[in-house]
Amino acid sequence: MADEQLKQEIADYVDRVWEDVIVDIEKLVQIESVENLAEAAPGAPWGPEPKKGLVKALEIAEGMGLDAHDCEGYIGYADLKGETDDYLALIAHSDVVPVGAGWTVEPLRVTRKDGYLMGRGVLDDKGPLVLSFYTAKFFAEKGIKLPYTLRIIVGCNEETEMADVEWYNEHYPQPAFVFTPDAYFPICYGEKGGYTAVIRSADVAGGKIVNFDGGIADNAIPNLATATVRANAADLKPTDRIEVEDAGDGLVKLTAHGIEGHASKPAGTINAIGLLVDYLLDNDLCDEGEREFLELDRIVLSTTDGSSLGIDTADPYFDPLTCIGGTMRTVDKHFEQTIDARYPTSITSDEITERVGKLAAKYNATVECYIDLVPFVTDPESSPIQTLINTYNEATGKNAKPFTMGGGTYARHFERAASFGPNDPELKNPDWVGGEHSADEGVSEEQLKKSLGIYILAVSRLMQSDLRA
């Protein structure tokens, strides 16, 4: 009976606060909290906009009666003090990837449309961050001390290097358990390794190709790429995905339109960089040195399972390796193509660098890895994981099982952690709703409401369990 009463209290609370939830999501979405290290400063190590996002998030938390702390701008947290300093944490982030092109709604506002919220960050991860605050607010309103301290950690460097959480772990003790609302239900107990590298050409750019600019983030398949070339526009034919525009002075601007998506889920995407590389090669819009690198890039971008690079592999825990090209730029006199691989335990980052490096060397190019996150797995039979999966199944009437994934979240940085919603893999969004890192990013409003109820119930049960068992 007590459990049924708690569920009813949660349902009533969610209905009561929901419009406030939307208001607070809007406050964060209005801030274009994209990393800008060129303007980093003391107290704002990731740049001014991530700092603004962090400050606003902590301001929201403080207004709920939580004890909020800005940790020198690296990260922040807000506590609901419990009976012990040992703590249960939820961690979400207030930074976002760049807005990019192709939006049909205002990206820095929350648009409510046919049951969906749209705007940069509503799904990844400002909306879920606000849900975390309201989860804590539910218990704060009760005015009782929980067995563990409840801490909401506010990251602001998740979309690039996750250096914020590395800083946190150097300065604060590990939580007894932590989950992040930055992935999918039912519950993810393991994540592939994350590998990001740049493939750099010799000094060959600047012949026929004046400029190449594709993609906005290393960890996303780009939907847009442009190149300015020395050519006659009248000699070039557009395609269904390539625009041809006379740029004057013997120059032509080429624009490729692909289908974007997250690096960990390349199925169904079309890489705009790959489209443009193919067009340049097929129409001889490159000199000898440029062609050499473009031929390499064609190989790099021709598959998303790493098979063209000799790194395709799988293991018992994870789906097969994925590898995509995220951005392509002309820098000084060379090309720089970034790749993002999500790898299982059956390969290492050193092996990836070695194999891709051998291929690149044949084309007078080099490979430099600058992000490597090793795979992690949390025991799926541990008490917290079982508590979360049982809570989810009870709330939804499902019989779902814990899973692993290729996406990278904060969970991999902690000793005992998982990612827990709010996405539902069975929920099919309309075509006009984009995913995380995409134009017209959106999320079902009803799904967020259900998630808030699940989070509150899950935290209540975690508080009554042995988080270290």
Side-chain angles (χ1 to χ4, degrees):
M1 181 64 69
D3 196 50
E4 292 305 313
Q5 180 179 346
L6 173 62
K7 291 177 184 177
Q8 187 59 55
E9 289 178 2
I10 292 172
D12 292 343
Y13 170 80
V14 172
D15 286 340
R16 173 167 57 84
V17 303
W18 189 249
E19 290 305 314
D20 294 333
V21 170
I22 302 301
V23 169
D24 285 334
I25 294 174
E26 168 88 8
K27 291 175 183 177
L28 294 179
V29 169
Q30 289 177 352
I31 301 169
E32 194 171 4
S33 46
V34 177
E35 179 189 82
N36 181 2
L37 298 183
E39 296 186 24
W46 321 123
E49 295 304 311
K51 174 68 174 185
K52 290 179 184 177
L54 175 62
V55 169
K56 179 57 67 174
L58 295 176
E59 177 184 298
I60 292 170
E62 195 166 38
M64 297 178 180
L66 305 181
D67 183 16
H69 299 266
D70 181 341
C71 305
E72 302 178 37
Y74 287 97
I75 200 166
Y77 67 89
D79 281 351
L80 179 61
K81 189 71 175 70
E83 294 177 354
T84 173
D85 288 337
D86 204 9
Y87 66 101
L88 167 68
L90 282 66
I91 180 170
H93 61 93
S94 58
D95 62 313
V96 293
V97 298
V99 167
W103 288 77
T104 63
V105 298
E106 169 55 50
L108 298 179
R109 296 295 302 271
V110 172
T111 297
R112 295 173 97 168
K113 179 181 177 181
D114 297 338
Y116 284 81
L117 303 180
M118 301 176 71
R120 177 58 85 222
V122 293
L123 175 59
D124 185 22
D125 193 35
K126 293 176 176 180
L129 173 59
V130 171
L131 297 189
S132 301
F133 290 146
Y134 277 88
T135 296
K137 186 175 188 287
F138 174 84
F139 298 100
E141 286 185 353
K142 285 185 168 295
I144 59 173
K145 278 201 171 184
L146 297 168
Y148 299 90
T149 291
L150 178 59
R151 174 169 293 184
I152 311 302
I153 304 175
V154 184
C156 47
N157 186 236
E158 194 272 350
E159 294 293 3
T160 51
E161 297 185 30
M162 297 193 193
D164 52 352
V165 75
E166 293 175 9
W167 186 94
Y168 179 88
N169 285 332
E170 291 175 0
H171 293 80
Y172 295 92
Q174 285 273 319
F177 183 74
V178 56
F179 73 79
T180 179
D182 191 17
Y184 286 83
F185 286 125
I187 184 170
C188 176
Y189 66 91
E191 297 175 5
K192 286 179 178 176
Y195 174 93
T196 308
V198 59
I199 304 174
R200 187 174 290 110
S201 76
D203 290 345
V204 297
K208 287 188 179 181
I209 301 173
V210 177
N211 178 266
F212 195 118
D213 187 8
I216 58 173
D218 298 339
N219 60 354
I221 294 95
N223 70 339
L224 189 69
T226 63
T228 302
V229 298
R230 305 183 201 281
N232 183 354
D235 297 333
L236 300 175
K237 294 182 178 180
T239 72
D240 59 339
R241 292 194 173 274
I242 303 286
E243 296 177 8
V244 177
E245 177 185 353
D246 189 336
D249 298 325
L251 300 176
V252 177
K253 181 180 179 182
L254 305 172
T255 303
H257 298 275
I259 299 176
E260 63 190 342
H262 194 277
S264 67
K265 296 173 287 184
T269 63
I270 298 176
N271 195 313
I273 297 171
L275 292 173
L276 197 50
V277 166
D278 286 344
Y279 191 89
L280 293 170
L281 288 170
D282 295 344
N283 290 275
D284 197 28
L285 296 172
C286 49
D287 63 20
E288 184 177 349
E290 294 167 337
R291 174 173 288 276
E292 181 177 50
F293 185 78
L294 293 183
E295 292 285 6
L296 168 63
D297 213 29
R298 174 180 268 177
I299 295 172
V300 171
L301 302 174
S302 64
T303 63
T304 58
D305 65 356
S307 58
S308 62
L309 302 173
I311 58 173
D312 48 318
T313 185
D315 72 2
Y317 298 106
F318 296 102
D319 290 335
L321 175 148
T322 60
C323 184
I324 64 97
T327 64
M328 168 78 152
R329 305 273 189 266
T330 45
V331 180
D332 296 328
K333 294 183 178 181
H334 55 265
F335 297 106
E336 291 188 354
Q337 171 69 64
T338 64
I339 58 172
D340 180 301
R342 308 300 168 101
Y343 65 95
T345 60
S346 50
I347 196 170
T348 67
S349 62
D350 288 343
E351 289 174 317
I352 295 174
T353 299
E354 179 185 7
R355 296 180 195 180
V356 178
K358 284 183 178 179
L359 174 65
K362 296 178 182 178
Y363 296 84
N364 294 309
T366 60
V367 176
E368 178 187 357
C369 172
Y370 55 93
I371 296 178
D372 177 34
L373 304 172
V374 299
F376 98 98
V377 178
T378 300
D379 181 3
E381 298 302 321
S382 64
S383 174
I385 299 297
Q386 287 300 304
T387 297
L388 291 180
I389 189 63
N390 291 337
T391 299
Y392 174 80
N393 283 336
E394 180 182 336
T396 61
K398 297 180 180 180
N399 187 30
K401 304 297 181 183
F403 68 97
T404 61
M405 69 174 184
T409 73
Y410 283 132
R412 67 170 63 249
H413 292 268
F414 294 92
E415 295 171 2
R416 296 174 59 79
S419 54
F420 190 49
N423 265 325
D424 181 349
E426 297 179 0
L427 182 64
K428 304 302 180 185
N429 293 332
D431 291 341
W432 47 267
V433 176
E436 61 271 86
H437 295 192
S438 300
D440 287 342
E441 176 183 342
V443 63
S444 162
E445 191 168 338
E446 184 60 29
Q447 178 62 19
L448 283 187
K449 287 187 72 174
K450 290 179 180 178
S451 298
L452 177 55
I454 291 171
Y455 291 150
I456 296 170
L457 183 59
V459 167
S460 177
R461 291 179 173 175
L462 285 170
M463 285 288 173
Q464 306 305 319
S465 69
D466 184 352
L467 295 180
R468 298 188 182 277

